[in-house]
């Protein structure tokens, strides 16, 4: 694969626009700023002819699926021009290596349940949406990475002392999202009564209004919600699964894997990933983790 890294550099500076967010009526307000990092946009990157990377670079635009309701990870509030969070930041890093600047990224909201279909039917070119790499998903789509590792956790009302870990969930109503790894684990392994919704912000609202006893998903997601409602919500217990976030790509473009892995690895090495992390997840109490070793691409 020809992946030229020695190109002339064009740097863009995205304005750290302090966007006044209008909190949504249902209480799932996002982070209160829309700061973004400064990443390289390759001037004339070269890719093997016919590859998906070459197509995207020629086209000069890319469609990226991210979450819109997960503060710190992928969030787009009323009045925000573009989503914020570690996932959109990584999207900008990747697009930059294709020669595509942030204004030419078309952001598409994905929820957990439509990530595979969106990649299969071309609604998006990439999914970067708290998307754990799993064997089941790899049967359907490509996933490069991981770029971040978190673990499933629990969030309860701040004044609830009855749930301190997954072993306390037997018979409790636990909200999670259809099409996620989280809902399967809690139902199959811990005997909880699952309440399945489309988005975690709906679960967040259910917990705040007392309709469910707990919300479960990745700690990184829950910390974002708890940070926004510290008087009402808290994250409890130790993580009880390993969620390795990958970048999803079309099953028809296996050549994307090496490119994505190289781009993720260079963002670790040149500090771009850390910049992205500090501006996003780092603000809701998450520690910058040790950068994970990337899975090799299938031969
Ligand atoms: N990372 C887990 C998953 O991919 C849970 C978070 C989510 O649903 O996005 O299913």
């Amino acid at each position: 694969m020809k992946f030229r890294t020695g190109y002339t550099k064009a740097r863009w500076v995205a304005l750290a626009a302090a966007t006044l967010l209008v909190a949504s009526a249902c209480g799932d307000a996002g982070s209160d700023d829309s700061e973004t990092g400064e990443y390289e946009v390759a001037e004339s990157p070269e890719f093997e002819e016919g590859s998906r990377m070459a197509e995207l670079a020629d086209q000069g635009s890319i469609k990226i699926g991210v979450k819109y309701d997960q503060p710190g990870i992928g969030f787009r509030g009323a009045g925000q021009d573009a989503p914020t969070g570690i996932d959109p930041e990584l999207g900008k890093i990747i697009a930059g290596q294709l020669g595509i600047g942030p204004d030419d990224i078309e952001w598409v909201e994905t929820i957990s349940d439509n990530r595979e279909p969106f990649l299969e039917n071309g609604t998006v070119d990439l999914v970067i949406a708290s998307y754990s790499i799993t064997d089941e998903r790899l049967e359907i789509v490509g996933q490069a990475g991981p770029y971040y590792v978190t673990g499933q956790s629990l969030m309860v009302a701040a004044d609830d002392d009855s749930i301190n870990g997954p072993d306390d969930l037997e018979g409790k109503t636990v909200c999670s999202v259809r099409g996620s790894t989280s809902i399967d684990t809690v139902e199959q392994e811990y005997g909880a009564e699952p309440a399945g919704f489309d988005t975690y912000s709906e679960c967040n609202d259910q917990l705040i209004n007392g309709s469910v006893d707990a919300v479960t998903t990745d700690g990184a997601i829950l910390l974002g919600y708890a940070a926004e409602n510290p008087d009402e919500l808290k994250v409890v217990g130790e993580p009880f699964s390993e969620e390795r976030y990958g970048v999803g790509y079309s099953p028809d473009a296996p050549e994307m894997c090496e490119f994505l892995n190289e781009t993720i690895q260079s963002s670790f090495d040149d500090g771009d990933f850390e910049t992205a992390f500090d501006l996003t997840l780092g603000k809701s109490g998450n520690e910058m983790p040790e950068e994970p070793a990337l899975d090799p691409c299938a031969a």
Side-chain angles (χ1 to χ4, degrees), residues 72-103:
I73 296 186
F75 186 87
R76 187 171 190 168
Q80 259 184 316
D81 289 342
T84 53
I86 186 73
D87 287 344
E89 290 299 290
L90 182 57
K92 291 174 210 169
I93 292 170
I94 293 168
Q97 294 303 303
L98 293 163
I100 300 170
D103 291 343

Side-chain angles (χ1 to χ4, degrees), residues 67 70 111-113 115 129-134 137 143 150 176-183 200 217-218 221 243-245:
K67 296 289 183 77
Q70 294 177 190
I111 57 171
S112 297
D113 215 18
R115 292 175 291 196
S130 59
Y131 197 21
S132 302
I133 300 173
T134 70
R137 290 172 180 162
Q143 293 185 297
T150 178
S176 199
V177 163
R178 289 184 276 265
S180 70
T181 51
S182 327
I183 199 161
Y200 295 105
T217 186
D218 306 337
I221 299 173
E243 306 297 324
R244 305 163 67 249
Y245 288 0

Side-chain angles (χ1 to χ4, degrees), residues 225-274:
Y225 291 125
E228 305 232 314
N229 286 290
D231 297 335
E232 290 181 278
L233 304 171
K234 64 180 179 189
V235 177
V236 292
E238 295 297 315
F240 52 96
S241 76
E242 189 180 64
E243 306 297 324
R244 305 163 67 249
Y245 288 0
V247 177
Y249 57 92
S250 163
D252 301 331
E255 68 275 16
M256 290 290 278
C257 185
E258 291 288 355
F259 162 71
L260 291 169
N261 268 0
E262 275 184 48
T263 304
I264 295 167
Q265 188 60 53
S266 27
S267 78
F268 291 164
D269 297 343
D270 65 17
D272 278 354
F273 189 84
E274 193 167 351

Side-chain angles (χ1 to χ4, degrees), residues 182-226:
S182 327
I183 199 161
D184 293 344
T185 307
V186 84
E187 184 176 13
Q188 290 160 14
E189 295 180 28
Y190 296 102
E193 290 291 331
F197 284 79
D198 277 338
T199 61
Y200 295 105
S201 49
E202 289 171 280
C203 283
N204 193 49
D205 297 341
Q206 296 290 312
L207 182 59
I208 288 174
N209 74 26
S211 311
V212 300
D213 300 310
V215 176
T216 188
T217 186
D218 306 337
I221 299 173
L222 297 178
L223 280 170
Y225 291 125

Side-chain angles (χ1 to χ4, degrees), residues 5-165:
T5 47
Y7 41 71
T8 325
K9 289 178 180 177
R11 311 283 303 187
W12 59 267
V13 181
L15 289 176
T19 304
L20 183 65
L21 284 184
V22 180
S24 74
C26 52
D28 55 343
S31 48
D32 59 359
D33 60 61
S34 57
E35 256 189 315
T36 180
E38 175 192 337
Y39 310 111
E40 178 180 77
V41 177
E43 221 156 67
S44 41
E46 283 180 6
F47 298 102
E48 199 171 324
E49 223 182 291
S51 66
R52 185 62 56 89
M53 293 81 77
E55 279 167 27
L56 290 166
D58 283 354
Q59 175 182 298
S61 66
I62 187 167
K63 291 176 285 185
I64 304 183
V66 296
K67 296 289 183 77
Y68 275 19
D69 70 337
Q70 294 177 190
I73 296 186
F75 186 87
R76 187 171 190 168
Q80 259 184 316
D81 289 342
T84 53
I86 186 73
D87 287 344
E89 290 299 290
L90 182 57
K92 291 174 210 169
I93 292 170
I94 293 168
Q97 294 303 303
L98 293 163
I100 300 170
D103 291 343
D104 292 314
I105 299 173
E106 187 187 325
W107 301 106
V108 178
E109 181 177 14
T110 51
I111 57 171
S112 297
D113 215 18
N114 66 19
R115 292 175 291 196
E116 290 86 39
F118 272 21
L119 286 170
E120 282 180 289
N121 65 24
T123 303
V124 296
D125 299 302
L126 298 175
V127 164
I128 315 178
S130 59
Y131 197 21
S132 302
I133 300 173
T134 70
D135 290 344
E136 294 74 29
R137 290 172 180 162
L138 284 170
E139 304 259 308
I140 307 172
V141 296
Q143 293 185 297
Y147 59 89
Y148 181 67
V149 181
T150 178
Q152 187 167 351
S153 240
L154 295 169
M155 182 169 73
V156 297
D159 59 0
D160 181 352
D161 291 327
S162 71
I163 299 175
N164 293 298

